[in-house]
Amino acid sequence: MKALLNYFTSLPSDILLADLSFTILAITIAYLLTTHSKWNWLWSWITSTDHKKIGIMYLLVSFLFFIRAGMEALLIRMQLAFPNNDFWVFQGDRFNQLTSTHGTVMIFLVATPLLIGLMNVIVPLQIGSRDVAFPFMNSLSLWLFISGGILLNVSFVAGGSPNAGWTSYAPLALNDYTPGPGNNYYPIGLQVAGLGTIMGGINFIVTILKMRAPGMRFMRMPLSTWAMFITSILIVYAFSALAVALLLLTFERLFGTVILSGGEGNPIIWQHLFWIFGHPEVYIIALPAFGIFSDVISTFSKRKLFGYPSMVFAIILIGFLGFMVWVHHMFTVGLNTNINIFFALTTMLIAVPTGIKVFNWLFTMRGGRIRFDTPMLYALGFIFTFVIGGVTGVMLSTVPADYQYHDSYFVVAHLHYVIIGATIFGVFSGVYYWWPKMFGKFLNEKLGKWNFWTFGIGFHFTFFPMHIMGLMGMPRRVFTYPEDEGLGFLNFISTFGAFMMGAGILFFIINIYLTTRYSKKLMLNDPWYSRGRTLEWTIPSPPPAYNFARLPEVKSREPLWDAYEKGYKNIDFIGEYEDIHMPNSTSLPFFIGIGFLIASFGFVFEIWTVAMLGMAMVFLLLGIRSFQQNNGIHIPKKTVMAEDRRSEE
Amino acid sequence: MTLRIALFVSGIISISGCSNIAILTPKGTEAYSELSLLYLSLALMSIVLLVVFTLFTRFLIKYRERPGQENDFPTQIEGNKKLEITWVVVPVFILIILAIPTFATTYQLDHEAESVDEPLRINVTGKQFRWFFYYPEFNIMLENEVKLPVDRPVVFNLHSEDVIHSFWIPQLAGKKDVLPHKENKLTITPDETGTFDGKCAEFCGASHAFMTFKTTVIEREAFKEWTNVADKQEE
Ligand code: HEM
Ligand SMILES: [Cu+2]
Ligand SMILES: [Cu+2]
């Protein structure tokens, strides 16, 4: 008992606080679940193979990670608020852990899965399908993501977080310089989560190729679906490169290979592999957002998307060029001049399809009837912010000037302008837009506007000054800066802005709480004032488990809008009612996730018996799955008909 | 919107004081040519910003839904070939204007080390979290500070003893990575005397923030004297 007490009192105060708040949270949740007898309800979600529920779980879990990484951002900003500051424990190595996990969590566990979550909810609805191609694999993707996410998140209290930056460059990330479990968490946690992401990519490629409703040709797909299709292809290629890189890093750290080290090995191999993944990743998290904005802008302007074919072409071109620009992250490495010039050229070229998209969005609004609801506000905020981020992107592509910008706060400013501007604004826009579809209730508009304006204005206060800090010579990833360089004022502004962004997120949480608790069900197919254009607005909100009682027939790009123009209330559905075949729910993916979690802890701490145990569990479960007779369930025609009638009234 | 940004930018710049912004006040040939690209790209990109934000503001004001229009069906158009071609061709032109000087300067900077005559050579070693400067010509070793003569090209041979660092003196030249497995070269030609901050720009561990050094650029005479004195002291 005394030893235990000693152990706890020896912990640094931040870890103690994290432990404590986590325990309290866990107990509260368990208590609430028990008193409301909701454990069964929870289990039905965990084992669900319904793409909508999986999508919602993706959104929820990544939002929790967003809060965690956001709190880290606030801690970073507090430490940097003043020159020579000593905030709490966050100096030196502890600060480096903060930035490393902030970056890693934001990219891998927030930006990517938030969009995959939306993708899950929306894509089958937009293509008129009843589920994704592989529902079991879909659930497995989710649980691998959660498993990898838990691993990265507990590193903070169990053995130390990764501290070599979100890029985890060798040789700093190797045993010689950062021994201990901390940097093992990075390759192993990301490997598990990445595996799930690759499966998700494959799943959506097949879903979009094979499961479109009758008449939904490629050039009739909504832009969100198009973007998510190209993104899925990027995921398969890019995350495979990452998997290789992570494997090399794992081997180097656990088994002492010498591929990435400075002596016999070559640390630049890591940088190439990482950025061959890393740049396409930027588009993996940007393209779906572009798709969402295309749908939102067109809906809230009441206009057809301007230049649809060129929008599709631009997405494909961006996806393709995205694989040919990775060296722009490595201009200062000292590669051959011709290499630098080639990659500068491809980087500049990417600006062209991006420009096409921006102008098409602008001209979509021309001649429309623009409403400024929250999804649209986020879309407009995106155009404003992203154009600034794009402009600094072109500035960064001029190699000699990049010798100055690289690894300075200028880059931190640029990356947040594009990532928050596109991905986070995109997710907010999409969540506000499809919330009524997911839950049958609107989010409150007034709180939505508070959410948008505080988050948006706070964003510019936080990140605009960083451009100038970079030009003043402030390198990124420093935990302090001297008094005499005149950086204090700008840094203070930036910290102020960060808290404003935090307030924005609070408005969002309050909004969800209040509307879920108090607002009324909508009972409308198309709650956005009958402006909907695509298939997801032709079915009830929330849709039944099987989405479409009868399959729609698609005769144009915007079937619903065309029906409205002809004076109809909804599109025609073809075919007869019939028994609908749906997949079973299953607990195997959840347990496979747990197996991976156990194995990963074994690998991280190099306790091989635990690692073997976990892997054995995974293979056993895969074996069980292979021999399972899985016939799914049939929803009888009568039920379907009755439900459909009710929703039409 | 544009106006607001312009005000914001100029406000922030004037508050922080332009003289503070290292990259905008270059004291070396290389930093100067890098800065001219910054200005060129900024100027070209300002055109883009201006066009986009003008259209943006105009469309938002002009086409907002006014009361009574809720049930309108505005005309729907597919696109406009001429406009779409315009916003492919014009950006390509802008990028060509930017690309040519970019490529020229890149070549020039990367090949300077071979082309300058009689440069001063300094071997730089980065080691968590210190910088060592060795002048082979004079057999002088300095730690965390380096002295340079004005107007004479200096070639730094960069090497790391442990992890990757990056060598950066913002007012004199852009950075170059300092690698453990390969030597990199960086050429700097200081144009003015003075003291400049030098830093490590590549994240290298716990005290990365403290891996800084001082660069002093002095008159050539003074430099000669210093090397004589320092040389003797060594012996
Ligand atoms: C909520 C507001 C946010 C604030 C105040 C914030 C703040 C910061 C700061 C100050 C840094 C620089 C750390 C340093 O170099 O020392 C940073 C780095 C970074 N941020 Fe954020 N951030 C925010 C949100 C996000 C989001 C939403 C993403 C991505 C989805 C993101 C991705 C990153 C990445 C990838 C890095 C680089 C980490 C590294 O250098 O290893 N951030 N952030
Ligand atoms: Cu990139
Ligand atoms: Cu460093």
Side-chain angles (χ1 to χ4, degrees):
Chain A
M1 194 63 210
K2 193 132 186 231
L4 209 64
L5 200 71
N6 276 343
Y7 170 72
F8 277 111
T9 44
S10 73
L11 283 176
S13 53
D14 58 324
I15 294 186
L16 208 60
L17 201 71
D19 277 343
L20 208 67
S21 48
F22 184 77
T23 316
I24 293 175
L25 206 69
I27 293 175
T28 321
I29 290 176
Y31 175 77
L32 285 177
L33 283 172
T34 311
T35 51
H36 291 72
S37 32
K38 287 279 188 186
W39 285 103
N40 280 334
W41 167 83
L42 183 66
W43 186 245
S44 75
W45 276 78
I46 288 176
T47 56
S48 173
T49 47
D50 180 339
H51 69 96
K52 299 178 286 300
K53 287 190 171 172
I54 289 178
I56 289 167
M57 282 188 281
Y58 258 114
L59 288 169
L60 174 71
V61 176
S62 6
F63 185 69
L64 295 181
F65 290 149
F66 179 62
I67 292 177
R68 177 227 150 100
M71 289 198 302
E72 281 177 327
L74 292 184
L75 293 174
I76 294 173
R77 284 311 328 162
M78 281 198 270
Q79 164 61 22
L80 290 175
F82 307 102
N84 292 324
N85 196 14
D86 272 326
F87 169 73
W88 205 354
V89 294
F90 297 109
Q91 290 82 41
D93 199 45
R94 296 312 300 280
F95 181 88
N96 296 340
Q97 294 187 6
L98 279 187
T99 50
S100 304
T101 41
H102 165 74
T104 312
V105 170
M106 282 293 191
I107 297 288
F108 293 98
L109 306 178
V110 176
T112 319
L114 275 175
L115 288 166
I116 293 183
L118 276 178
M119 190 141 100
N120 257 298
V121 176
I122 292 318
V123 167
L125 301 185
Q126 281 200 335
I127 62 173
S129 152
R130 291 196 169 126
D131 208 325
V132 294
F134 309 114
F136 179 90
M137 195 159 89
N138 202 19
S139 168
L140 186 55
S141 289
L142 170 74
W143 287 104
L144 290 185
F145 149 63
I146 294 181
S147 186
I150 289 177
L151 208 65
L152 274 171
N153 275 282
V154 297
S155 64
F156 178 62
V157 291
S161 294
N163 62 358
W166 87 277
T167 51
S168 200
Y169 272 13
L172 181 62
L174 303 181
N175 273 335
D176 286 348
Y177 304 103
T178 47
N183 276 325
N184 290 350
Y185 276 110
Y186 178 92
I188 294 168
L190 292 187
Q191 190 73 274
V192 174
L195 213 58
T197 313
I198 294 178
M199 288 182 199
I202 295 171
N203 209 339
F204 279 94
I205 293 175
V206 180
T207 305
I208 295 172
L209 282 179
K210 303 297 288 183
M211 304 191 51
R212 282 164 290 141
M216 166 88 59
R217 299 190 199 132
F218 270 112
M219 289 311 267
R220 286 178 183 169
M221 293 195 317
L223 250 283
S224 292
T225 299
W226 254 115
M228 288 162 183
F229 178 54
I230 301 299
T231 299
S232 304
I233 298 175
L234 297 191
I235 283 180
V236 172
Y237 282 95
F239 273 80
S240 306
L242 178 72
V244 171
L246 294 174
L247 212 61
L248 292 183
L249 185 57
T250 312
F251 271 52
E252 190 107 359
R253 285 191 65 87
L254 298 189
F255 311 124
T257 55
V258 276
I259 299 165
L260 307 174
S261 57
E264 300 87 344
N266 183 346
I268 304 304
I269 294 175
W270 167 266
Q271 295 191 16
H272 279 297
L273 283 173
F274 185 83
W275 289 116
I276 286 173
F277 151 77
H279 196 88
E281 165 70 5
V282 176
Y283 291 107
I284 288 171
I285 59 183
L287 290 184
F290 291 173
I292 294 169
F293 292 128
S294 302
D295 286 357
V296 166
I297 290 176
S298 151
T299 302
F300 288 89
S301 309
K302 257 193 184 175
R303 285 274 283 185
K304 220 187 215 29
L305 189 69
F306 194 89
Y308 175 96
S310 68
M311 283 304 238
V312 171
F313 175 70
I315 292 182
I316 297 174
L317 197 62
I318 291 174
F320 179 69
L321 282 175
F323 279 102
M324 306 208 296
V325 298
W326 80 88
V327 169
H328 67 209
H329 299 269
M330 301 168 63
F331 282 154
T332 64
V333 166
L335 302 171
N336 181 305
T337 312
N338 291 328
I339 296 183
N340 279 0
I341 283 182
F342 173 79
F343 282 93
L345 187 68
T346 51
T347 305
M348 288 178 185
L349 277 183
I350 263 195
V352 176
T354 315
I356 294 179
K357 300 197 75 77
V358 171
F359 283 106
N360 279 339
W361 285 318
L362 289 175
F363 277 77
T364 301
M365 297 192 293
R366 189 174 72 156
R369 303 282 183 275
I370 304 172
R371 276 189 67 104
F372 297 92
D373 300 289
T374 312
M376 187 61 171
L377 284 180
Y378 269 108
L380 298 173
F382 151 77
I383 294 184
F384 179 77
T385 311
F386 187 78
V387 168
I388 298 176
V391 157
T392 53
V394 173
M395 291 174 70
L396 282 159
S397 73
T398 57
V399 185
D402 180 68
Y403 293 160
Q404 289 284 23
Y405 311 134
H406 180 75
D407 266 342
S408 77
Y409 258 80
F410 192 86
V411 172
V412 180
H414 161 75
L415 83 92
H416 288 89
Y417 263 79
V418 287
I419 298 184
I420 296 185
T423 310
I424 302 297
F425 280 24
V427 169
F428 273 119
S429 179
V431 165
Y432 274 95
Y433 183 50
W434 284 304
W435 190 271
K437 185 52 62 185
M438 289 189 274
F439 300 105
K441 289 177 177 186
F442 267 123
L443 282 174
N444 181 285
E445 265 303 309
K446 200 167 203 170
L447 284 167
K449 288 193 169 117
W450 275 94
N451 167 210
F452 170 75
W453 287 107
T454 44
F455 191 72
I457 295 176
F459 167 82
H460 286 278
F461 269 111
T462 313
F463 294 104
F464 194 84
M466 288 187 190
H467 292 109
I468 297 158
M469 281 150 39
L471 296 185
M472 291 169 83
M474 182 164 167
R476 68 194 277 196
R477 299 167 174 175
V478 290
F479 70 87
T480 188
Y481 50 92
E483 184 102 51
D484 60 4
E485 288 183 21
L487 288 162
F489 176 71
L490 292 174
N491 270 292
F492 183 77
I493 302 254
S494 176
T495 302
F496 164 78
F499 277 90
M500 208 164 150
M501 292 175 82
I505 300 300
L506 280 183
F507 281 117
F508 181 66
I509 296 172
I510 294 172
N511 197 347
I512 291 183
Y513 177 75
L514 291 181
T515 48
T516 308
R517 189 91 203 251
Y518 299 109
S519 74
K520 276 206 300 278
K521 284 256 179 208
L522 279 168
M523 311 303 253
L524 286 171
N525 288 357
D526 182 7
W528 290 109
Y529 319 107
S530 299
R531 287 169 165 247
R533 310 177 82 88
T534 42
L535 288 184
E536 74 268 34
W537 305 111
T538 63
I539 51 176
S541 330
Y546 45 82
N547 300 343
F548 294 87
R550 288 177 299 166
L551 286 183
E553 180 171 29
V554 183
K555 295 205 194 95
S556 67
R557 207 171 277 156
E558 299 175 320
L560 182 59
W561 179 257
D562 294 343
Y564 286 156
E565 273 192 334
K566 293 200 194 92
Y568 299 121
K569 277 204 165 129
N570 205 342
I571 61 164
D572 282 335
F573 289 92
I574 48 164
E576 300 293 308
Y577 289 104
E578 56 192 359
D579 291 355
I580 294 178
H581 180 222
M582 296 300 291
N584 289 102
S585 48
T586 164
S587 60
L588 286 181
F590 174 70
F591 288 111
I592 293 178
I594 291 184
F596 267 108
L597 196 61
I598 296 171
S600 304
F601 273 113
F603 282 116
V604 166
F605 289 96
E606 305 183 35
I607 311 170
W608 305 120
T609 42
V610 176
M612 289 306 122
L613 202 75
M615 287 322 288
M617 177 166 167
V618 169
F619 282 110
L620 186 74
L621 291 167
L622 290 179
I624 293 178
R625 161 74 185 165
S626 311
F627 292 104
Q628 232 172 15
Q629 287 285 334
N630 219 330
N631 294 327
I633 43 168
H634 285 270
I635 300 172
K637 181 171 150 183
K638 257 200 229 141
T639 325
V640 176
M641 272 171 82
E643 283 185 357
D644 203 31
R645 292 268 157 67
R646 220 175 308 134
S647 74
E648 264 165 24
E649 276 147 22
Chain B
M1 229 35 133
T2 345
L3 194 68
R4 235 175 48 198
I5 292 242
L7 280 178
F8 191 47
V9 175
S10 50
I12 286 201
I13 291 182
S14 61
I15 287 165
S16 55
C18 211
S19 58
N20 258 336
I21 302 185
I23 289 172
L24 303 186
T25 52
K27 304 285 191 236
T29 316
E30 291 73 16
Y32 192 80
S33 54
E34 285 154 1
L35 178 63
S36 53
L37 276 173
L38 184 155
Y39 282 139
L40 175 66
S41 56
L42 192 61
L44 291 172
M45 289 299 112
S46 305
I47 303 175
V48 177
L49 285 181
L50 196 75
V51 172
V52 171
F53 289 150
T54 313
L55 292 176
F56 184 74
T57 329
R58 219 181 107 80
F59 290 170
L60 285 189
I61 293 173
K62 195 156 168 205
Y63 300 110
R64 66 188 194 281
E65 185 175 84
R66 295 177 175 80
Q69 292 181 332
E70 288 82 359
N71 296 319
D72 282 10
F73 281 87
T75 50
Q76 304 285 316
I77 56 166
E78 295 280 344
N80 179 323
K81 283 275 143 11
K82 270 195 201 133
L83 281 174
E84 288 174 54
I85 290 171
T86 314
W87 55 65
V88 173
V89 174
V90 174
V92 168
F93 266 109
I94 293 183
L95 290 177
I96 291 175
I97 299 176
L98 183 61
I100 292 169
T102 298
F103 298 168
T105 316
T106 312
Y107 262 108
Q108 190 205 329
L109 290 182
D110 281 9
H111 293 277
E112 243 186 329
E114 291 112 65
S115 59
V116 291
D117 339 306
E118 289 186 47
L120 171 66
R121 290 187 187 278
I122 300 179
N123 297 341
V124 180
T125 306
K127 197 176 170 204
Q128 281 179 333
F129 303 95
R130 283 174 296 168
W131 295 100
F132 298 97
F133 298 89
Y134 178 67
Y135 298 67
E137 214 176 305
F138 312 109
N139 193 21
I140 298 172
M141 179 75 129
L142 294 178
E143 187 181 329
N144 290 342
E145 67 165 323
V146 59
K147 269 198 194 349
L148 308 174
V150 73
D151 288 331
R152 178 175 172 194
V154 186
V155 174
F156 291 96
N157 298 315
L158 309 167
H159 177 77
S160 164
E161 287 209 347
D162 40 42
V163 301
I164 301 176
H165 305 276
S166 194
F167 182 83
W168 189 27
I169 311 171
Q171 284 188 289
L172 297 185
K175 55 190 80 58
K176 192 75 144 208
D177 289 0
V178 182
L179 307 169
H181 67 297
K182 182 182 155 227
E183 191 175 270
N184 267 337
K185 284 188 190 347
L186 178 69
T187 314
I188 287 184
T189 319
D191 295 337
E192 279 180 48
T193 58
T195 316
F196 311 113
D197 294 321
K199 356 203 139 181
C200 173
E202 178 66 60
F203 177 57
C204 59
S207 295
H208 166 57
F210 294 144
M211 191 164 163
T212 55
F213 59 95
K214 197 154 91 188
T215 315
T216 324
V217 178
I218 52 179
E219 294 296 344
R220 299 178 87 160
E221 300 303 308
F223 183 76
K224 208 165 188 180
E225 229 160 76
W226 173 73
T227 51
N228 284 337
V229 176
D231 218 5
K232 289 215 185 74
Q233 274 174 351
E234 289 278 307
E235 284 149 26

